[in-house]
Amino acid sequence: AWTAWRAAWRSIRHERKEKRMGFGNDYLQEERKAELQYWLSGDYESFCGKKKEIYLAAGKAIKDAGHTSPGHSPGGYRNELKYAGDLELAFRIETEEKKFRSVRKQLPAPEYAKWLQKLVRLRNQYARTAGFENYLDYRYALWGIGGDVFARAASRQRKAEKTDSMELRRWLGEVSADHRLAVENQRALFREIDECWNLNGSGIQIHDEDLPGFYIGACVPVSIPDDIHVLINRRPGLSGFSVFMHEIGHGFYYTNIAAPDIHGRREPFNLIMEETVALLFENQVYTDGFSREFLHTDRGMWLPKAEFQLDYLLCCAEFEERIYRKADPDFDAEWKAACAFTGEEEGDGWTKPHFFVSNPGYFAAYFIAAFLAKETYRYADRESRDLFDFIRNEICSPGGALAYEAFLEKVLP
């Protein structure tokens, strides 16, 4: 009895310590609950206010505990960094971002440049308060992105054969007319896919009616793995359905893959692997196997969709690498240099991609994930493996633990 009481008391003290340190599920779950309400209602002001309250409380708990890092495994999301540094400055930056996003498409390039330059300086200033040289280093550390993974993927992509996007666009126009891809039929199509691929999708709550129209899709894991929400403003055609499947891929990651930590909780997540899995789902609808099984046609494209945007994503990631590591970057010159480095056309320029304003660093994360998704297809094809069998039995060990390093060795040797 004494042994049992002592063990119970140690457990209670550990839980209390975790709450003081801010690494329990409380702060994350409260933020996710607020985020879910935002996606359902579109009320950004309430979400931002609630998030600031949560972050300030978490930051104070970490500071009071004198703790800086719980020592996550390679590739793991470092939640404690969300609450690091000068959080008042962080939310000043978020307010500035929100104002910028609302007007950026109407701004002439010189005014756009001044506003973006101000954001870059503020972000780098915040990063230094959190112990990092610049904001990209901070974001990469937060998401668990090692520089070697980005460099390896970038080097491989620069040597890759380019994809003809015109062929993909012509094919999309033909296949998207299929009646099964009409908005009213997409839920039934997903149920068929769920059963065929054994996705365990019944644990995902899908919201697809009366949503704000400013986004296409989102996935919010309030509690992993049993309270997962996919929100989707459905669009017709294969491209619209691929976005739906991308968000389902996020849900699959949380219900099937997200690795438990040492206490058995499924935190923290791995951003690169999560986006890789989501992109595998998104791109799977372009394959010949999907076309035969669910659309009853032999018009699948297999790899081109997985490869289509890789050079563009790499170009944008390279642009951010340049502008965050210089004191006063010339955006036009840096965009030209990034395009030349990656072999990408200059196109509409650096004012078009919204992630430069809304989510810096995400282009690098998305590029790595898209590259790994492509290489996963190639690996499964070389080994004559079923894609989802490979995910379940080689990316993950029994019980859902994620073998991140082993996965990189298989698809990014």
Side-chain angles (χ1 to χ4, degrees), residues 280-324:
L280 285 171
F281 272 68
E282 174 184 337
N283 292 323
Q284 185 75 350
V285 309
Y286 296 90
T287 63
D288 48 7
F290 180 89
S291 295
R292 286 195 304 270
E293 182 73 32
F294 303 111
L295 303 181
H296 313 298
T297 176
D298 292 327
R299 293 181 293 183
M301 291 288 284
W302 193 55
L303 272 174
K305 178 58 171 69
E307 298 179 337
F308 179 45
Q309 288 189 314
L310 275 168
D311 287 330
Y312 179 72
L313 293 171
L314 178 56
C315 180
C316 291
E318 176 67 20
F319 174 73
E320 286 198 317
E321 285 280 328
R322 293 168 179 271
I323 67 172
Y324 278 92

Side-chain angles (χ1 to χ4, degrees), residues 84-366:
D86 184 344
L87 292 173
E88 292 288 352
L89 175 58
F91 279 91
R92 177 186 162 198
I93 293 169
E94 181 155 333
T95 301
E96 196 76 11
E97 289 170 1
K98 182 66 168 60
K99 289 190 295 184
F100 194 0
R101 290 199 302 270
S102 67
V103 299
R104 72 178 189 87
K105 292 182 179 180
Q106 289 78 46
L107 294 177
E111 189 173 348
Y112 200 117
K114 288 180 181 178
W115 207 326
L116 183 58
Q117 185 71 271
K118 179 182 178 182
L119 270 181
V120 170
R121 288 172 181 160
L122 286 173
R123 287 165 175 163
N124 280 342
Q125 180 183 340
Y126 167 73
R128 287 190 288 272
T129 71
F132 294 87
E133 187 173 335
N134 61 70
Y135 196 71
L136 280 191
D137 288 348
Y138 163 74
R139 295 292 280 235
Y140 293 170
L142 172 66
W143 293 330
I145 299 176
D148 61 327
V149 175
F150 176 69
R152 287 159 65 192
S155 176
R156 291 271 294 274
Q157 180 55 31
R158 291 181 66 204
K159 300 172 185 175
E161 184 178 347
K162 307 308 178 186
T163 301
D164 180 8
S165 62
M166 293 303 295
E167 182 185 358
L168 175 62
R169 291 191 178 98
R170 284 195 298 271
W171 174 79
L172 272 177
E174 295 175 9
V175 177
S176 289
D178 192 297
H179 75 282
R180 305 205 73 192
L181 297 168
V183 166
E184 62 271 17
N185 297 329
Q186 288 181 6
R187 276 240 193 181
L189 179 57
F190 169 65
R191 284 194 294 271
E192 191 176 328
I193 293 167
D194 182 18
E195 182 176 348
C196 181
W197 290 351
N198 189 27
L199 300 181
N200 190 28
S202 60
I204 302 171
Q205 300 181 54
I206 298 175
H207 308 264
D208 57 7
E209 296 180 354
D210 302 321
L211 299 176
F214 66 91
Y215 69 98
I216 300 177
C219 179
V220 182
V222 174
S223 176
I224 303 169
D226 53 4
D227 191 8
I228 312 299
H229 299 258
V230 161
L231 305 96
I232 187 78
N233 273 309
R234 290 176 294 166
R235 302 288 190 270
L238 201 60
S239 292
F241 188 67
S242 73
V243 176
F244 180 23
M245 290 304 296
H246 180 102
E247 300 306 333
I248 291 295
H250 282 290
F252 176 86
Y253 174 85
Y254 284 118
T255 54
N256 289 268
I257 295 177
D261 67 11
I262 59 173
H263 306 293
R265 302 168 315 200
R266 298 204 176 201
E267 298 287 354
F269 66 87
N270 180 307
L271 178 69
I272 297 299
M273 286 307 309
E274 181 184 348
E275 288 294 353
T276 299
V277 171
L279 285 162
L280 285 171
F281 272 68
E282 174 184 337
N283 292 323
Q284 185 75 350
V285 309
Y286 296 90
T287 63
D288 48 7
F290 180 89
S291 295
R292 286 195 304 270
E293 182 73 32
F294 303 111
L295 303 181
H296 313 298
T297 176
D298 292 327
R299 293 181 293 183
M301 291 288 284
W302 193 55
L303 272 174
K305 178 58 171 69
E307 298 179 337
F308 179 45
Q309 288 189 314
L310 275 168
D311 287 330
Y312 179 72
L313 293 171
L314 178 56
C315 180
C316 291
E318 176 67 20
F319 174 73
E320 286 198 317
E321 285 280 328
R322 293 168 179 271
I323 67 172
Y324 278 92
R325 302 186 192 283
K326 294 184 178 179
D328 291 296
D330 179 325
F331 295 134
D332 287 332
E334 300 301 345
W335 180 254
K336 288 179 184 293
C339 290
F341 179 76
T342 57
E344 183 71 2
E345 297 291 332
E346 292 181 21
D348 295 321
W350 53 270
T351 61
K352 186 173 182 180
H354 72 88
F355 281 146
F356 295 156
V357 174
S358 60
N359 204 350
Y362 204 72
F363 274 118
Y366 216 73

Side-chain angles (χ1 to χ4, degrees), residues 16-30:
R16 287 177 178 174
K17 181 180 180 182
E18 279 197 326
K19 287 186 178 181
R20 289 197 308 271
M21 292 164 60
F23 300 132
N25 284 347
D26 290 353
Y27 296 124
L28 289 169
Q29 285 195 12
E30 287 304 308

Side-chain angles (χ1 to χ4, degrees), residues 35-43 207 209-212 215 231:
E35 182 185 358
L36 177 60
Q37 290 306 309
Y38 165 57
W39 292 121
L40 288 169
S41 68
D43 185 353
H207 308 264
E209 296 180 354
D210 302 321
L211 299 176
Y215 69 98
L231 305 96

